[in-house]
Amino acid sequence: QLQASGGGLVQPGGSLTLSCAASGFIVEEYVIGWFRQAPGQEREIVSCISANGRNTYYGDSVKGRFTVSKDNAKNTVYLQMNSLKHEDTALYYCATAKSGRNDGRIYDEEHQYDWWGQGTLVTVSS
């Protein structure tokens, strides 16, 4: 299971850190992706991190502002979001794609992900 948390209301320019807590599997063996879906829009990938934690991917709209990381000891992946903009408002999801321990592959397409957690809502508003 995946449990995303950490969403909330934040002013433009503010920061939030989302957490994706995994249970029943270990994040060291999976690519973990963060996706978001804004009202009336399609779901899009925000970021992902490889199973070995060495490689990351960011969508163009969040590059330089968001940082993905993982804590294997806590079996949790994080998404640090800085300099938030109105257009970052969305329901944020984490998802998994089976990989392998020490595997550095990243997956940037939605169809590559198998399991999805419930989303956490991020609202950027003044």
Side-chain angles (χ1 to χ4, degrees):
Q1 290 186 344
L2 293 168
Q3 182 63 53
S5 62
L9 175 64
V10 62
Q11 293 186 341
S15 298
L16 277 178
T17 299
L18 305 184
S19 299
C20 177
S23 60
F25 69 96
I26 55 174
V27 297
E28 288 179 273
E29 296 181 351
Y30 288 79
V31 176
I32 306 296
W34 284 99
F35 294 77
R36 68 185 182 187
Q37 187 168 22
Q41 297 186 21
E42 294 185 353
R43 190 159 55 188
E44 64 172 349
I45 187 167
V46 175
S47 180
C48 69
I49 186 166
S50 62
N52 64 8
R54 295 174 187 164
N55 298 312
T56 57
Y57 167 86
Y58 297 96
D60 289 340
S61 61
V62 306
K63 281 181 182 176
R65 300 188 297 122
F66 290 11
T67 303
V68 63
S69 62
K70 63 175 18 181
D71 185 332
N72 291 333
K74 294 183 178 180
N75 214 32
T76 299
V77 174
Y78 303 96
L79 185 68
Q80 173 69 42
M81 306 186 296
N82 298 326
S83 303
L84 284 162
K85 306 175 181 180
H86 290 290
E87 51 265 42
D88 294 319
T89 295
L91 193 59
Y92 284 71
Y93 301 87
C94 54
T96 68
K98 188 68 173 74
S99 183
R101 200 181 294 243
N102 298 318
D103 196 319
R105 286 176 295 177
I106 55 174
Y107 302 135
D108 60 355
E109 296 183 5
E110 185 174 333
H111 72 87
Q112 295 174 300
Y113 290 81
D114 303 310
W115 296 97
W116 296 77
Q118 291 186 335
T120 184
L121 182 63
V122 173
T123 302
V124 184
S125 176
S126 53

